[in-house]
């Protein structure tokens, strides 16, 4: 029998402080990184992270984004938030990193989007208190590098359902849980190898890693993070239990960053396997809050 993990508070504790310190520190690195280049956004032609997102989200706004109310959870410094605002949506971005929120607000002002893009500083689990919104949102959007930082996806799903109006829709994309069971070999060469359990039973991996996915040469002070593996079944069950209906679930063989050293840039800004499509690297899903 596997012992149950020690419970963690969703609103305080070492996990939250460690992770927030890491994300606070990397904000200026990401602002300066080519991976987060906002040139197109500043030119009025911003795009989301992957073509798959663009294609799948087209169905969410068949008549255009104008007038749609969007909540972007774990928005980092607001690149995608501002893309959607630039297209006409009224968007609220929420993130737990104060430097990220400051940067997002500065970019919104620079782009003249403060009327359509608002940024709120809060831990995701405090979202209901930080942003009480009884009218609800048309869309909740959250993508890439999100739930691995969260200990409880059942509460995450309940928060999403709470913010969606009846008939409102979730769009979620992230790295695939199966891929997170792998890691680069110690030699740094060859395909990644099995290292982490797919079924973590709620236990965090407490990692101490130098560098950053957007800058491998970075020398960081905050190297310790707490991360959780959430199997696909856990994510889907959480959303269904929260009262959402699954509309689609797609798996993808590429991600918008170099997840493993063996990956190659298969098209600008997208990384995939060098030959055979070995296993999924990402997934995306859409879900609708039922009328009840």
């Amino acid at each position: 029998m596997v012992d149950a993990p020690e419970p963690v508070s969703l609103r305080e504790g070492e996990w939250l402080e460690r992770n927030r310190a890491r994300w606070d520190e990397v904000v200026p690195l990401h602002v300066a990184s080519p991976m987060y280049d906002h040139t197109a956004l500043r030119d009025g032609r911003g795009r989301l992270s992957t073509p798959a997102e663009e294609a799948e989200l087209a169905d969410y706004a068949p008549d255009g984004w104008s007038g749609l109310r969007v909540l972007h959870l774990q928005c980092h410094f607001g690149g995608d938030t501002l893309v959607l605002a630039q297209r006409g949506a009224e968007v609220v971005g929420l993130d737990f990193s104060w430097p990220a929120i400051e940067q997002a607000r500065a970019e919104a002002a620079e782009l003249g989007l403060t009327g359509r893009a608002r940024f709120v500083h809060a831990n995701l689990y405090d979202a209901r208190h930080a942003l009480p919104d009884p009218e609800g949102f048309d869309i909740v959007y959250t993508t890439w590098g999100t739930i691995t930082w969260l200990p409880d996806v059942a509460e995450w799903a309940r928060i999403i359902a709470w913010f969606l109006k009846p008939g409102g829709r979730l769009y979620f994309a992230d790295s695939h849980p199966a891929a997170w069971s792998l890691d680069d070999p110690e030699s740094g060469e060859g395909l990644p190898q099995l290292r982490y359990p797919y079924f973590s039973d709620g236990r965090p991996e407490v990692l101490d890693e130098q560098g950053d996915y957007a800058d491998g040469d970075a020398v960081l002070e905050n190297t310790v993070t707490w991360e959780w593996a959430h199997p696909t079944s856990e994510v889907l069950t959480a959303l269904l239990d929260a009262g959402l209906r699954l509309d689609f679930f797609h798996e993808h063989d590429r991600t918008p960053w170099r997840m493993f050293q063996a990956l190659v840039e298969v098209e600008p800004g997208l990384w995939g396997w060098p030959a055979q499509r070995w296993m999924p690297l990402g997934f995306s899903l859409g879900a609708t809050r039922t009328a009840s």
Side-chain angles (χ1 to χ4, degrees), residues 223-255:
T223 59
V224 175
T225 57
W226 290 44
E227 300 182 36
W228 283 263
H230 299 291
T232 307
S233 58
E234 181 185 359
V235 175
L236 297 180
T237 299
L239 294 172
L240 295 172
D241 286 349
L244 275 65
R245 181 192 71 233
L246 185 65
D247 298 325
F248 67 84
F249 176 85
H250 298 152
E251 294 175 304
H252 306 285
D253 64 346
R254 53 197 64 189
T255 61

Side-chain angles (χ1 to χ4, degrees), residues 92-150:
V92 176
L94 181 141
D95 199 88
F96 74 163
S97 167
W98 177 242
I101 292 297
E102 285 188 308
Q103 178 65 28
R105 290 175 177 174
E107 288 201 26
E110 175 190 345
L111 296 171
L113 292 172
T114 52
R116 290 204 298 270
R118 180 160 63 98
F119 291 94
V120 176
H121 176 229
N123 169 20
L124 177 130
Y125 292 117
D126 293 325
R128 292 186 188 92
H129 305 289
L131 186 65
D133 197 327
E135 297 180 7
F137 288 85
D138 298 291
I139 297 168
V140 170
Y141 171 91
T142 181
T143 64
W144 302 112
T146 55
I147 60 173
T148 188
W149 306 101
L150 302 178

Side-chain angles (χ1 to χ4, degrees), residues 122-241:
N123 169 20
L124 177 130
Y125 292 117
D126 293 325
R128 292 186 188 92
H129 305 289
L131 186 65
D133 197 327
E135 297 180 7
F137 288 85
D138 298 291
I139 297 168
V140 170
Y141 171 91
T142 181
T143 64
W144 302 112
T146 55
I147 60 173
T148 188
W149 306 101
L150 302 178
D152 188 334
V153 292
E155 179 64 5
W156 166 81
R158 288 189 289 266
I159 289 168
I160 289 169
W162 191 86
F163 278 113
L164 283 171
K165 69 181 186 182
R169 300 181 69 185
L170 164 69
Y171 182 82
F172 174 51
D174 213 327
S175 47
H176 201 289
W180 278 123
S181 65
L182 306 175
D183 201 4
D184 287 314
E186 292 185 5
S187 66
E189 299 179 358
L191 291 173
Q193 300 173 348
L194 187 65
R195 178 174 178 183
Y196 303 107
Y198 180 80
F199 298 105
S200 64
D201 299 312
R203 289 173 174 75
E205 288 286 347
V206 181
L207 305 174
D208 189 349
E209 296 180 329
Q210 189 54 264
D212 177 71
Y213 65 85
D215 184 352
D217 297 325
V219 179
L220 301 176
E221 294 182 8
N222 296 286
T223 59
V224 175
T225 57
W226 290 44
E227 300 182 36
W228 283 263
H230 299 291
T232 307
S233 58
E234 181 185 359
V235 175
L236 297 180
T237 299
L239 294 172
L240 295 172
D241 286 349

